[in-house]
Amino acid sequence: MTDLPPADFRERITRSFGRQRAMGLIGAQLTRVEHGTVEIELPFDEKLTQQHGFLHAGVISAALDSACGYAAYTVIDADASILTIEFKVNLMSPGRGDWFLFRGEVTKPGSNIIVADGRAYSITDGPAKLIASMTGTMMVVRGRQDVAG
Amino acid sequence: MTDLPPADFRERITRSFGRQRAMGLIGAQLTRVEHGTVEIELPFDEKLTQQHGFLHAGVISAALDSACGYAAYTVIDADASILTIEFKVNLMSPGRGDWFLFRGEVTKPGSNIIVADGRAYSITDGPAKLIASMTGTMMVVRGRQDVAG
Amino acid sequence: MTDLPPADFRERITRSFGRQRAMGLIGAQLTRVEHGTVEIELPFDEKLTQQHGFLHAGVISAALDSACGYAAYTVIDADASILTIEFKVNLMSPGRGDWFLFRGEVTKPGSNIIVADGRAYSITDGPAKLIASMTGTMMVVRGRQDVAG
Amino acid sequence: MTDLPPADFRERITRSFGRQRAMGLIGAQLTRVEHGTVEIELPFDEKLTQQHGFLHAGVISAALDSACGYAAYTVIDADASILTIEFKVNLMSPGRGDWFLFRGEVTKPGSNIIVADGRAYSITDGPAKLIASMTGTMMVVRGRQDVAG
């Protein structure tokens, strides 16, 4: 992990997130960017559901992947970029609730490979409920025009 | 695996897929339902992209999860349902192409747990290109009103 | 999670661990059993290595799987048993060190499915180093003679 | 994937496997090395069991990881080496049988990252039974003294 993140990391990540059209499509917002941690929030919307009316596992995965990926962005140099190589998601409780919080955190920084862990929570009244977890493996990419930023 | 799938499995799966609002949102269509195998297709759409303009990993996961989940539906009794417990996705090539094919296949049927494997391909001109794979673990659910069908 | 673990859970787990011949083969010892958490320790031994002289990923997986599995045992009824359905391991640093600590913790208890997370550390001089993580999905089994205890 | 594997790939892989002390410990043998495919076999031994007398999931993982890793070795240059970044194992049936076959196959070759899939079978009388599957992500390593060969 860089000892100090590049000065403008919040701006770069906010700009990059803004280019993730899929995040706009599902109504996800970037709500927290710290060194090693990123949070995304999403209000429940019926258009995001699977056949039983719960949030679709793919939507949960999309938001967790973005949270984990941008957590990795907070620990790399300003001229590098991140590609997700693979991730695993455990779905622990149905995606029911008024809104959802997705937190990605860097577990193992690295110059080539970064491991990040994510947790998804549903929130209605009362305490947040853990509904899913992710472990993702990210590759640090440099000098590729097609995956810059 | 049931030796013969229930007579109306295609109808039930088509109905259930139609209730997956998230599949409608991303423009995915159910194009093949066989005993043990389901295919979903998706035209490329800029609204489904991540920051580099490729199909978002979450969209790939959503379609693969639906393909694997419905593959599991083809091998269970008509009164049971399927919940995804967990899955792993490997992203092998950028999600670039005119359209995408997602195939889910049952690797290990079972009365409680079903394992399914999925593959995602991008198609433009020439041969399909493997862009991602999934292994998913599905639970067979019976007698729960909230997850019927 | 059971609010209170069955009174004799440490004894049952210690007995069951003692029957895991593979743990004896690699020299692993059960060093901590708490409600929701189990630790296993292992001294480095050259007979456990892969081709570069590091601890083999399979040995790391074996110890993490046992730690996660027995963590799940601490939250089930005395007459139930645990089977691992699947797990994912991320190998973050080479398995180098004098000895190794494997901690398994229950992330999501449940009456049918339990999710546990594990971490592996190498220890020489100085602070422990995170070398691997696991997320495992465990099934609670009841009334099966072949998987009792 | 290299169009043709380096001429001496079988010799290099056999030598490297011979240095995997953990494979010797569990009694595993390298029985097939083809371009993109490697097989390992293992007779059942009570010292490899978990608490119910089945082959320990860690032993299955160790053999699958070696099979997948050496499958990756068959598609890289002679001066490169392979490190496993992560893998996922699904355990589908208890590890019961007289002996076991583990097959690793390259699903996606690459200059930096290789994805391999493995299958484990138990064999007694009659047809082989699928007991486990693996998907592993391997990194191609060059110019590191500590991970050569």
Side-chain angles (χ1 to χ4, degrees), chain A residues 20 51 73 85 87 89 91, chain B residues 20 51 73 85 87 89 91:
Chain A
Q20 287 212 339
Q51 73 274 29
Y73 267 92
I85 300 176
F87 58 73
V89 176
L91 302 154
Chain B
Q20 288 211 339
Q51 73 274 26
Y73 266 91
I85 300 176
F87 58 73
V89 176
L91 302 155

Side-chain angles (χ1 to χ4, degrees), chain C residues 45-112:
Chain C
D45 189 320
E46 288 196 349
K47 75 184 181 204
L48 305 175
T49 53
Q50 39 82 286
Q51 72 274 28
H52 309 121
F54 308 143
L55 202 64
H56 196 286
V59 175
I60 295 172
S61 301
L64 280 174
D65 175 44
S66 287
C68 288
Y70 285 117
Y73 266 91
T74 70
V75 301
I76 60 172
D77 294 332
D79 62 344
S81 188
I82 292 289
L83 282 181
T84 303
I85 301 176
E86 65 83 39
F87 58 74
K88 175 203 204 296
V89 176
N90 266 72
L91 302 155
M92 302 178 192
S93 288
R96 255 187 299 232
D98 289 347
W99 57 282
F100 300 91
L101 172 67
F102 305 89
R103 180 181 298 129
E105 295 186 299
V106 171
T107 299
K108 176 69 172 61
S111 52
N112 291 305

